[in-house]
Amino acid sequence: MEPDVAAPLQKVFLETFGCQMNFLDSELVRGRLAERRYVFTARRDEADVVAFNTCAVRDHAEDRVRNRLHELRRAKERRPDLVVAVLGCMAQREGEALLERFPHVDILCGTREFGRIDELVERVRGGSGPIVALGEHEPLPDGRRDLSQRPQKHSAFVTIQRGCDRACTFCVVPRTRGPEVERSMDDLEAEVRALVADGVVDVTLLGQIVNAYGRKSGGDASLARLLRRLDRVDGLLRLRFVTSFPTLLTPDLMQALQDCEKVVSYLHLPVQSGSNSCLKRMARGYTVESYLRLSDRLREVAPKIELATDLIVGFCGESDAEFAATLDLVQRAEFVQAFIFKYSTRPGTAAAERMVDDVPQAVKEARNQELLRAQEEIQRRRNRARIGSIEQVLVDGPSKRDKAVLAGRTSANRMVHFRGAATLQGQVVPVRIGDATALSLSGTQVADG
Ligand code: SAH
Ligand code: F3S
């Protein structure tokens, strides 16, 4: 095809904040823009279009975007044709208030409008003035995926469900992502097969409440059935899914986790708190005892699985005794990984409207540190127990610190470092573990696992 010499290629700088779903959404956005011959740059100062794909889960994530927008004010004064776009959860949550505060923003593109980001950018470049697109143009923009935009050759995310129908009182996601919408099992299998044909060996299925998959569409769709179908895809080595909700961990799903060889031995099952009164204020719909019963049952049905979790410290009204209960749960449950967050009040949530964010920042910080230390100790002990064992490591690529050292992950998502050739990227390699810290294992490649 003849290059279009009349129009110089427009350069896009796209920065992504937040969860894996946001990173996948950014991939979709890049695909849409690439279709219209936009190119991408890692340098914001040379871009014609600056876009931020944002997160609204905690105020800190939004603050970082506000800082970026402040910084861009000057650039936009110098170059009025610069297009500034705010995409995703923060755009959806703040709406036009964001434009009042940052009048140099040209596009607000909500979480169900990604599919037409190219059209929005073109309209602004054509002189339309600011555009607010926060409706539901396309609840599932996943259909037309451009495989060439994948950031990693051997790993890929696949959205199976978007949105969330629950209303945990601290959580802004149902507001920013809307109600649950699901893709069909046929579509998903086709996408996974296409990815595997393109070199992917490691697939992570994404959903805000991923094990609710199937309840919206009815029929025979369920996460357990989907896992069983995808487990049969030749060439796929690892199948993961995030994030699950405790009460929806059915016996059927537990059995599928055990039966499916490709499903990893890692289950991310956020508990949020170890105190029943706190869980009640969070409207989680389970107790600590029922969570522990689930985890016992899981150990019986699917002994290969190790649990990871999310925890919030300093939620509204969290007393010393409630926090002590969380610390106690962490000691008892021995999670393989725990993501610990300081509570951040989110406008529009039930907690923001009906409760008081009364735990002082310093107390949140101290509880955060105490929980981190406890979890670190557990991880160190459990990781050191792997010394001498042989782990199957999926190689992600050279480690950040030393190019001769490879970084990879075990099935239970433990990071492993070992010396090896970069050509091993995307392969599963047996590694004998020689040393361990709280955060990672290290060892040497062996001939056979
Ligand atoms: N089910 C979603 C939850 C999204 S939020 C998922 O896919 O992970 C991710 C985690 O952030 C939650 O599990 C919770 O631990 C934490 N979180 C959510 N809202 C929060 C808030 N207001 N303050 C602090 N942490 C929060
Ligand atoms: Fe948020 Fe609870 Fe849904 S944490 S994403 S409202 S399951």
Side-chain angles (χ1 to χ4, degrees):
M1 213 167 42
E2 285 295 307
D4 183 357
V5 283
L9 294 177
Q10 294 281 306
K11 288 190 183 149
V12 180
F13 171 87
L14 172 60
E15 186 177 5
T16 308
F17 299 82
C19 65
Q20 288 149 319
M21 193 173 280
N22 284 8
F23 281 84
L24 178 54
D25 286 339
S26 286
E27 205 183 303
L28 296 169
V29 164
R30 277 200 302 277
R32 292 293 194 274
L33 290 168
E35 245 175 45
R36 301 242 194 173
R37 304 188 66 241
Y38 285 82
V39 294
F40 298 90
T41 172
R43 282 186 46 192
R44 197 172 81 188
D45 59 350
E46 65 167 29
D48 304 291
V49 179
V50 174
F52 301 109
N53 191 5
T54 60
C55 170
V57 165
R58 285 172 295 277
D59 192 48
H60 177 67
E62 292 196 348
D63 242 359
R64 292 173 61 199
V65 174
R66 286 183 205 110
N67 287 339
R68 302 286 198 279
L69 293 175
H70 274 302
E71 288 162 17
L72 277 173
R73 216 181 277 263
R74 281 279 175 72
K76 179 82 176 182
E77 273 166 23
R78 278 197 308 273
R79 271 192 61 190
D81 64 329
L82 177 70
V83 178
V84 180
V86 181
L87 323 178
C89 288
M90 184 180 174
Q92 193 79 44
R93 191 192 72 68
E94 281 228 39
E96 304 211 7
L98 198 66
L99 283 189
E100 278 160 32
R101 182 138 178 227
F102 301 102
H104 58 296
V105 169
D106 300 291
I107 297 173
L108 288 184
C109 172
T111 53
R112 282 148 290 173
E113 302 274 12
F114 289 125
R116 60 179 183 133
I117 183 66
D118 50 335
E119 172 207 323
L120 304 179
V121 171
E122 295 272 289
R123 268 169 48 196
V124 167
R125 289 184 52 219
S128 70
I131 301 181
V132 177
L134 301 174
E136 259 188 68
H137 177 71
E138 206 178 5
L140 283 172
D142 306 84
R144 287 186 291 129
R145 181 165 186 179
D146 174 353
L147 294 186
S148 70
Q149 297 299 330
R150 283 191 290 113
Q152 260 197 320
K153 179 108 187 85
H154 68 278
S155 282
F157 297 132
V158 171
T159 310
I160 71 169
Q161 165 230 56
R162 287 172 176 269
C164 182
D165 284 359
R166 282 197 54 88
C168 303
T169 54
F170 55 81
C171 183
V172 78
V173 170
R175 268 173 64 95
T176 61
R177 290 263 178 198
E180 284 162 32
V181 189
E182 297 167 352
R183 299 175 65 196
S184 76
M185 293 206 287
D186 288 344
D187 271 4
L188 292 166
E189 184 175 339
E191 182 165 328
V192 169
R193 286 189 183 278
L195 286 164
V196 170
D198 198 46
V200 168
V201 295
D202 174 38
V203 164
T204 304
L205 307 176
L206 300 182
Q208 295 295 339
I209 178 159
V210 75
N211 55 336
Y213 174 76
R215 72 175 172 188
K216 229 21 195 299
S217 15
D220 70 345
S222 73
L223 182 60
R225 285 211 181 80
L226 180 65
L227 293 176
R228 288 185 191 278
R229 268 174 80 162
L230 299 180
D231 199 48
R232 291 197 290 268
V233 174
D234 285 336
L236 181 66
L237 300 179
R238 283 195 183 167
L239 188 52
R240 315 185 250 181
F241 55 96
V242 284
T243 302
S244 298
F245 192 80
T247 59
L248 301 170
L249 181 58
T250 58
D252 214 26
L253 180 55
M254 290 189 194
Q255 195 59 50
L257 300 185
Q258 181 61 17
D259 294 346
C260 295
E261 275 181 15
K262 292 169 186 172
V263 171
V264 295
S265 55
Y266 174 93
L267 180 67
H268 189 177
L269 195 68
V271 65
Q272 310 298 1
S273 168
S275 144
N276 286 337
S277 39
C278 204
L279 287 171
K280 195 158 189 193
R281 292 198 298 281
M282 291 174 164
R284 293 288 286 183
Y286 55 83
T287 60
V288 181
E289 293 72 26
S290 62
Y291 184 92
L292 288 171
R293 270 199 302 277
L294 270 178
S295 113
D296 287 345
R297 179 90 195 264
L298 185 64
R299 206 166 296 136
E300 280 161 30
V301 180
K304 73 171 191 182
I305 301 289
E306 297 192 60
L307 280 187
T309 205
D310 291 352
L311 295 156
I312 297 177
V313 296
F315 183 59
C316 305
E318 188 188 61
S319 64
D320 287 341
E322 287 176 333
F323 172 68
T326 298
L327 198 55
D328 187 52
L329 173 68
V330 164
Q331 310 280 11
R332 279 165 59 189
E334 303 219 320
F335 298 109
V336 62
Q337 225 175 358
F339 301 92
I340 302 168
F341 305 103
K342 286 172 277 184
Y343 174 63
S344 161
T345 187
R346 307 284 53 226
T349 58
E353 278 165 12
R354 300 201 313 260
M355 300 175 208
V356 186
D357 178 17
D358 53 359
V359 178
Q361 197 56 33
V363 175
K364 286 181 184 169
E365 188 54 48
R367 288 179 182 171
N368 185 43
Q369 289 303 327
E370 195 172 346
L371 214 46
L372 278 171
R373 270 198 306 276
Q375 177 61 21
E376 199 180 298
E377 203 37 56
I378 288 161
Q379 284 179 209
R380 181 174 300 114
R381 180 158 41 78
R382 294 195 62 198
N383 285 352
R384 292 198 65 83
R386 318 296 295 192
I387 292 177
S389 70
I390 291 174
E391 299 278 349
Q392 301 300 320
V393 179
L394 173 63
V395 180
D396 282 326
S399 77
K400 285 196 191 101
R401 287 215 202 120
D402 182 350
K403 284 270 179 310
V405 172
L406 298 176
R409 298 209 165 251
T410 70
S411 181
N413 215 32
R414 289 188 174 86
M415 171 101 75
V416 181
H417 293 113
F418 68 101
R419 287 192 176 271
T423 48
L424 291 176
Q425 183 162 11
Q427 293 184 35
V428 174
V429 174
V431 173
R432 187 185 301 282
I433 302 307
D435 204 359
T437 67
L439 296 181
S440 66
L441 312 177
S442 59
T444 44
Q445 184 180 352
V446 291
D448 207 337

